[in-house]
């Protein structure tokens, strides 16, 4: 047996390298709760903060009200950190006295130079990765990654700088000045925990259970105020009490200790039921765009003009010959090249089918090697959201890549093939558009609900900017210029919410993680409250709904003063696990190592009697996955607003096919009444099956609007009245009850 880690602070256990027989032998000891196999998890700025309403130039917002997050410590579990001006400590005071962490100086990471009063912690965890790595570790740490907190791939630095980067003037990217760069909480401190390592064969980062658990353990003990993870498990989802559900278990202990945990929803959209990190104690983040586009005007030889997206040089490209380079369904082969005699000095139009869209960079390199002047790529419109433009070494070599949708691509292609004269094309310099001309939308790649494990818990919780986010990155990355890169994904959206949570934590240090989540969900911008429609990109564009973005797109200034919050704590989450039908022993194993639980309840008393309905979990949303006739749910709100003496009235928007009522309709708060419970009854008005429909319940006192999204799926009963055989009728009724239990999240026994 080879010992790897010992877990002592948040939970009790250890990680070790074992043979199958050793693992089985240890599991048989009565003192051992469970043995878990080590698994891998995926890793899932200048305009986005203005879009969120947190401009540094406007004095009356959450950014200034919270003193830019001063005193808050953000823990980032990712791929490490790079030295960069965005991590300077200019103007910051001493490290908070409560901090117990450290900066590890090893190999290429010199803590005396790379840690300061901004980056106050830097650790790394490689033992779990080494146990699973198939190859020569010496070669790996020589050529692929570095055994230190140093970020080789740039992902962790991008995340950390987005959440809490310091002010950096004149951030330039391939000739374009993006203005002043900063993170969401520029005066917050950073503690980085490198638990993700680059896997060259997969061209991605991998984070093992053992390493992530140790990072959680250290972060909680070191004294962080927030933990941010732009990583997540793969599908299918598993129970929070399952021995392999390490992210859910580790995050439970952190949240139970009062530390909010912010996680990425995943990048498997627009397919439904793909959202990950679905535990109700996690703040799960979807990705939206920002109100910015990189417009390049395309002019054809017949004077028709179209709009594409790219980062062209300021001079653009004058009229050049246009040729069609073909259509492609996959990535190019290693030695793929266009014929120089065909493309040299010309603009090449290529069609990329869905499976080939992730290989734009490879085709651009082939175009560059063949001497073309530029490349126009026709792609599905939802993929343009992911990759607004391509830069990198091939762009520096003079081959810009302009992206258009299929409709525009087809018009350009028809001109190219039917023009009697030599087809010509001109490309203008890029014009960066911001504000109203750019529609708000949820990105196509952002994973969608409903929650595939417990459908009655709405996921994702919130959306935030995640598309084309400029932040610090690795200089070795071909997409990086001047130590910055524009990246897209829920990995980029997550630190936006982390930065907002840091500001809220500084403003309201007594708020629980659930209160912070509630404030974000109930004040978010959505299709009901935003000035313009919010769309969800996909195979076809539609209006966004709660399965796309939870409560909506994060509205930090609204969340700072939400009026009412739906609060919860450790016991509420334990009751949630009880409502799923798990045994006391399983729940105890997942949530134990807390003296107050052992003293009050113990293993036999984990679940109260009667067990609450999962629909009564005090979430800031209501989701009914199988409404038959009617259902009544209970919620409790806490007044955190001013004035203390106030009256809230209910405003109801019933989902299609339902009628929603609330009792009482008026909530009156004063100095003696801080919390009030109410019941919401949802009744089906249709006698046939419907898919999910959406509405809302909003409490308003004229100053605050506290909006909870409602998601309902109506279903008719099985018809058993005409069945004469009593045994068959009982079988139908039993199947009906099992279906009901499974869709509400209960485990049938």
């Amino acid at each position: 047996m080879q010992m790897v880690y010992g877990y002592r602070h948040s939970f009790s256990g250890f990680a070790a390298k074992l043979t199958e027989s050793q693992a089985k032998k240890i599991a048989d000891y009565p003192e051992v709760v469970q043995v878990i196999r080590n698994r891998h998890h995926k890793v899932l700025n200048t305009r986005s903060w203005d879009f969120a309403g947190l401009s540094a130039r406007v004095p009356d917002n959450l950014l200034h009200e919270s003193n830019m997050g001063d005193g808050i410590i953000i823990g980032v579990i990712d791929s490490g950190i790079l030295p960069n001006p965005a991590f300077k400590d200019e103007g910051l005071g001493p490290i908070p006295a409560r901090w117990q962490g450290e900066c590890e100086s090893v190999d290429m990471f010199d803590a005396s130079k790379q840690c300061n009063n901004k980056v106050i912690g830097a650790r790394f965890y490689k033992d779990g990765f080494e146990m699973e790595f198939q190859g020569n570790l010496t070669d790996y740490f020589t050529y692929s990654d570095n055994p230190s907190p140093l970020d080789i791939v740039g992902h962790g630095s991008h995340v950390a700088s987005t959440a809490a980067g310091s002010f950096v003037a004149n951030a330039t990217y391939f000739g374009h000045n993006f203005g002043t760069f900063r993170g969401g909480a520029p005066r917050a401190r950073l503690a980085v925990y490198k638990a993700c390592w680059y896997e060259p064969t997969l061209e991605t980062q991998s984070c093992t259970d053992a390493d992530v658990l140790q990072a959680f353990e250290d972060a909680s003990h070191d004294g962080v105020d927030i933990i941010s993870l732009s990583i997540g498990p793969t599908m299918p989802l598993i129970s929070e009490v399952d021995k392999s559900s390490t992210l859910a278990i580790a995050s439970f202990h952190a949240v139970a200790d009062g530390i909010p945990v912010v996680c990425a929803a995943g990048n498997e959209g627009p397919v439904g039921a793909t959202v990950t990190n679905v535990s109700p104690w996690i703040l799960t983040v979807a990705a939206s765009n920002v109100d910015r586009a990189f417009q390049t005007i395309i002019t054809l030889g017949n004077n028709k003009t179209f709009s594409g997206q790219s980062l062209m040089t300021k001079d653009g490209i004058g009229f050049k010959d246009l040729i069609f380079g073909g259509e492609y369904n996959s990535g190019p082969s290693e030695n793929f090249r266009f014929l120089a005699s065909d493309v040299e000095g010309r603009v090449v139009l290529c069609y990329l089918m869905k499976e080939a869209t992730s290989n734009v960079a490879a085709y651009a390199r082939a175009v560059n090697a063949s001497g073309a002047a530029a490349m126009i790529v026709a792609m599905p419109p939802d993929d343009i959201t992911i990759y607004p433009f391509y830069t990198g070494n091939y762009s520096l070599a003079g081959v810009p890549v302009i992206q258009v949708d299929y409709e525009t691509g087809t018009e350009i292609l028809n001109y190219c093939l039917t023009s009697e004269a030599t087809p010509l094309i001109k490309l203008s310099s890029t014009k960066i558009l911001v504000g109203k001309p750019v529609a708000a939308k949820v990105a196509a790649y952002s994973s969608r609900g409903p929650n595939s494990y417990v459908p009655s818990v709405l996921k994702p919780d919130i959306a935030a900017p995640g598309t084309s986010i400029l932040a610090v990155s690795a200089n070795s990355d071909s997409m990086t210029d001047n130590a910055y890169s524009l990246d897209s994904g829920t990995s980029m959206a997550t630190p936006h919410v982390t930065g907002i949570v840091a500001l809220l934590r500084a403003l309201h240090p007594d708020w629980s993680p659930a209160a912070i989540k509630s404030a974000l969900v109930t004040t978010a911008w959505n299709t009901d409250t935003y000035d313009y429609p919010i769309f969800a990109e996909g195979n076809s564009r539609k209006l966004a709904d709660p399965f796309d973005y939870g409560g909506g797109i994060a509205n930090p200034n609204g969340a700072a003063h939400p009026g009412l919050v739906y609060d919860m704590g450790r016991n509420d989450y334990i009751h949630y696990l009880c409502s799923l039908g798990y045994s006391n022993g399983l729940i105890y194993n997942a949530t134990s190592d807390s003296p107050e639980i052992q003293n009050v309840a113990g293993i036999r008393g984990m679940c109260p009697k009667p067990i609450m309905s999962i629909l009564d979990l005090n979430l800031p949303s209501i989701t009914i996955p199988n409404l038959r006739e009617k259902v009544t749910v209970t919620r409790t709100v806490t007044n955190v607003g001013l004035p203390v003496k106030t009256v809230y009235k209910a405003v109801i928007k019933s989902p299609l096919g339902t009628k929603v009522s609330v009792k009482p309709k008026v909530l009156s708060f004063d100095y003696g009444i801080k919390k009030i419970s109410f019941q919401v009854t949802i009744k089906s008005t249709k006698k046939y099956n419907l898919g999910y429909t959406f509405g809302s319940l909003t409490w308003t006192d004229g100053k605050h609007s506290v909006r909870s999204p409602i998601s309902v799926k109506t279903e008719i009963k099985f018809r058993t009245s005409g069945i004469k055989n009593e045994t068959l009728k009982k079988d139908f009724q039993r199947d009906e009850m099992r279906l009901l239990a499974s869709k509400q999240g209960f485990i049938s026994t």
Side-chain angles (χ1 to χ4, degrees):
M1 182 177 77
Q2 179 183 343
M3 193 66 134
V4 178
Y5 297 117
Y7 308 122
R8 304 181 305 277
H9 302 299
S10 297
F11 37 84
S12 178
F14 64 91
K17 187 172 184 178
L18 305 171
T19 64
E20 291 291 341
S21 60
Q22 287 173 327
K24 186 178 185 306
K25 184 175 181 180
I26 290 176
D28 290 338
Y29 285 115
E31 300 89 350
V32 175
V33 173
Q34 51 195 348
V35 176
I36 306 168
R37 182 179 294 276
N38 197 24
R39 294 191 308 157
H40 292 250
H41 300 277
K42 292 182 181 179
V43 298
L44 300 174
N45 65 37
T46 53
R47 178 61 195 173
S48 55
W49 295 114
D50 287 358
F51 170 72
L54 296 178
S55 172
R57 300 181 299 275
V58 178
D60 187 18
N61 60 30
L62 173 61
L63 180 67
H64 297 285
E65 196 175 0
S66 65
N67 196 19
M68 302 189 184
D70 195 13
I72 298 300
I73 303 171
I74 298 174
V76 178
I77 301 176
D78 211 288
S79 62
I81 196 164
L82 281 162
N84 189 278
F87 303 125
K88 64 187 178 184
D89 62 357
E90 182 179 328
L92 294 179
I95 295 173
R98 69 183 187 281
W99 178 244
Q100 301 182 59
E102 64 176 299
C103 278
E104 297 178 339
S105 190
V106 61
D107 206 271
M108 294 172 60
F109 191 86
D110 186 346
S112 66
K113 296 178 180 179
Q114 298 176 18
C115 289
N116 51 28
N117 285 349
K118 178 70 173 181
V119 180
I120 64 174
R123 299 177 183 264
F124 70 105
Y125 310 88
K126 64 182 178 64
D127 294 353
F129 175 76
E130 287 182 342
M131 284 194 302
E132 302 292 329
F133 185 75
Q134 302 294 321
N136 187 306
L137 284 169
T138 301
D139 287 347
Y140 173 81
F141 286 123
T142 300
Y143 302 110
S144 298
D145 212 322
N146 185 256
S148 76
L150 188 68
D151 185 9
I152 298 298
V153 297
H155 191 274
S157 301
H158 202 285
V159 168
S161 60
T162 300
S166 301
F167 287 88
V168 180
N170 298 316
T172 59
Y173 186 67
F174 289 104
H176 292 266
N177 191 323
F178 280 70
T180 298
F181 170 83
R182 68 172 177 86
R187 294 186 64 85
R189 317 305 172 95
L190 284 165
V192 296
Y193 301 85
K194 181 177 178 179
C196 300
W197 301 86
Y198 182 65
E199 289 203 15
T201 55
L202 302 176
E203 294 188 348
T204 187
Q205 291 118 122
S206 179
C207 326
T208 68
D209 280 338
D211 294 334
V212 171
L213 279 173
Q214 187 62 48
F216 259 102
E217 169 89 346
D218 286 344
S220 299
H221 181 259
D222 289 347
V224 303
D225 297 297
I226 304 152
I227 295 177
S228 182
L229 293 95
S230 290
I231 65 177
T234 56
M235 301 291 284
L237 304 181
I238 56 177
S239 159
E240 289 100 343
V241 300
D242 187 276
K243 62 184 181 180
S244 298
S245 191
T246 52
L247 279 181
I249 293 171
S251 60
F252 172 89
H253 287 277
V255 170
D257 290 337
I259 303 171
V261 177
V262 187
C263 293
N267 298 328
E268 301 302 324
V271 179
T274 53
V275 62
T276 63
N277 291 314
V278 298
S279 299
W281 47 83
I282 292 175
L283 183 48
T284 309
V285 185
S288 71
N289 68 338
V290 296
D291 57 344
R292 177 180 64 193
F294 305 93
Q295 184 186 61
T296 293
I297 299 300
I298 301 168
T299 304
L300 303 181
N302 59 7
N303 288 325
K304 284 189 175 182
T305 61
F306 304 92
S307 178
Q309 292 202 59
S310 74
L311 269 188
M312 289 289 295
T313 62
K314 59 183 179 181
D315 295 328
I317 295 177
F319 277 108
K320 299 282 185 181
D321 290 357
L322 171 68
I323 67 164
F324 180 50
E327 62 181 60
Y328 303 95
N329 292 293
S330 61
S333 61
E334 183 177 353
N335 298 316
F336 176 84
R337 292 289 184 272
F338 292 96
L339 290 176
S341 58
D342 291 337
V343 306
E344 188 172 6
R346 296 179 171 91
V347 175
V348 182
L349 169 66
C350 291
Y351 259 69
L352 296 190
M353 301 298 108
K354 186 72 176 178
E355 293 76 14
T357 54
S358 61
N359 295 284
V360 172
Y363 283 104
R365 283 191 286 270
V367 168
N368 176 47
S370 302
M375 178 181 181
I376 296 177
V377 181
M379 304 174 68
D382 54 299
D383 282 315
I384 292 177
T385 304
I386 307 175
Y387 307 106
F389 51 84
Y390 279 85
T391 55
N393 293 335
Y394 44 84
S395 180
L396 291 175
V399 185
V401 179
I402 299 90
Q403 293 195 13
V404 298
D405 60 24
Y406 284 151
E407 182 179 352
T408 299
T410 299
E411 293 208 42
I412 296 173
L413 176 61
N414 286 337
Y415 162 74
C416 180
L417 298 180
T418 62
S419 176
E420 294 182 1
T422 300
L424 299 174
I425 191 168
K426 181 174 73 171
L427 306 171
S428 72
S429 60
T430 296
K431 182 179 181 181
I432 300 178
L433 304 177
V434 296
K436 295 178 182 178
V438 184
K441 57 192 176 185
V442 177
Y445 57 79
S446 185
S447 290
R448 306 299 210 263
N451 180 340
S452 65
Y453 182 67
V454 183
S456 51
V457 174
L458 177 64
K459 289 289 176 173
D461 295 301
I462 198 75
T467 297
S468 299
I469 303 302
L470 185 75
V472 174
S473 192
N475 290 317
S476 59
D477 188 342
S478 64
M479 299 287 287
T480 301
D481 179 53
N482 199 28
Y484 292 97
S485 69
L486 277 160
D487 290 337
S488 298
T490 53
S491 283
M492 284 67 246
T494 299
H496 276 85
V497 172
T498 300
I500 296 168
V501 171
L503 301 180
L504 293 173
R505 197 86 204 239
L507 185 64
H508 303 290
D510 57 331
W511 280 11
S512 69
I516 291 173
K517 178 197 284 192
S518 173
L520 285 164
V521 171
T522 60
T523 62
W525 292 313
N526 50 70
T527 51
D528 290 340
T529 62
Y530 199 56
D531 291 338
Y532 302 93
I534 299 177
F535 293 96
E537 289 287 353
N539 295 328
S540 61
R541 179 180 286 193
K542 67 178 183 67
L543 286 176
D545 60 50
F547 291 160
D548 301 312
Y549 60 13
I553 298 174
N555 170 15
N557 295 317
H561 305 285
L564 306 176
V565 296
Y566 296 81
D567 206 359
M568 285 191 287
R570 177 197 296 270
N571 288 339
D572 298 286
Y573 297 127
I574 290 176
H575 295 167
Y576 153 78
L577 296 172
C578 294
S579 72
L580 295 176
Y582 302 128
S583 69
N584 288 344
L586 283 174
I587 296 172
Y588 181 83
N589 292 341
T591 63
S592 61
D593 279 339
S594 299
E596 61 269 31
I597 292 181
Q598 295 181 32
N599 293 338
V600 173
I603 296 179
R604 295 184 177 179
M606 292 297 293
C607 296
K609 302 293 184 180
I611 294 175
M612 77 167 194
S613 166
I614 192 171
L615 299 177
D616 290 333
L617 184 65
N618 203 39
L619 295 167
S621 58
I622 297 172
T623 305
I624 312 296
N626 52 332
L627 179 66
R628 296 294 174 80
E629 294 181 355
K630 71 175 182 178
V631 66
T632 298
V633 303
T634 299
R635 292 290 186 272
T636 301
V637 286
T638 303
N639 183 19
V640 296
L642 295 174
V644 173
K645 188 175 182 180
T646 187
V647 175
Y648 281 84
K649 296 180 180 180
V651 178
I652 298 169
K653 182 180 179 181
S654 296
L656 179 67
T658 72
K659 182 178 181 180
V660 178
S661 60
V662 60
K663 185 178 181 180
K665 297 179 180 179
V666 176
L667 306 178
S668 297
F669 296 92
D670 56 30
Y671 289 95
I673 301 176
K674 299 286 188 181
K675 293 186 177 184
I676 298 178
S677 296
F678 59 89
Q679 287 74 44
V680 179
T681 299
I682 303 174
K683 183 177 181 180
S684 174
T685 61
K686 302 295 182 182
K687 301 302 180 184
Y688 49 84
N689 289 334
L690 290 174
Y692 276 99
T693 58
F694 307 97
S696 61
L697 166 64
T698 303
W699 291 103
T700 179
D701 64 350
K703 179 181 179 182
H704 306 95
S705 291
V706 188
R707 180 186 181 276
S708 293
I710 301 176
S711 311
V712 179
K713 183 179 181 182
T714 58
E715 294 182 349
I716 60 173
K717 293 181 177 180
F718 288 127
R719 294 184 177 180
T720 59
S721 57
I723 300 176
K724 295 181 179 181
N725 185 300
E726 289 299 319
T727 301
L728 186 60
K729 181 184 292 187
K730 288 180 180 179
D731 287 343
F732 267 95
Q733 291 171 339
R734 184 185 67 247
D735 291 342
E736 180 186 20
M737 294 303 297
R738 285 179 174 173
L739 177 65
L740 179 66
S742 67
K743 292 194 174 182
Q744 287 186 336
F746 294 102
I747 293 177
S748 181
T749 57

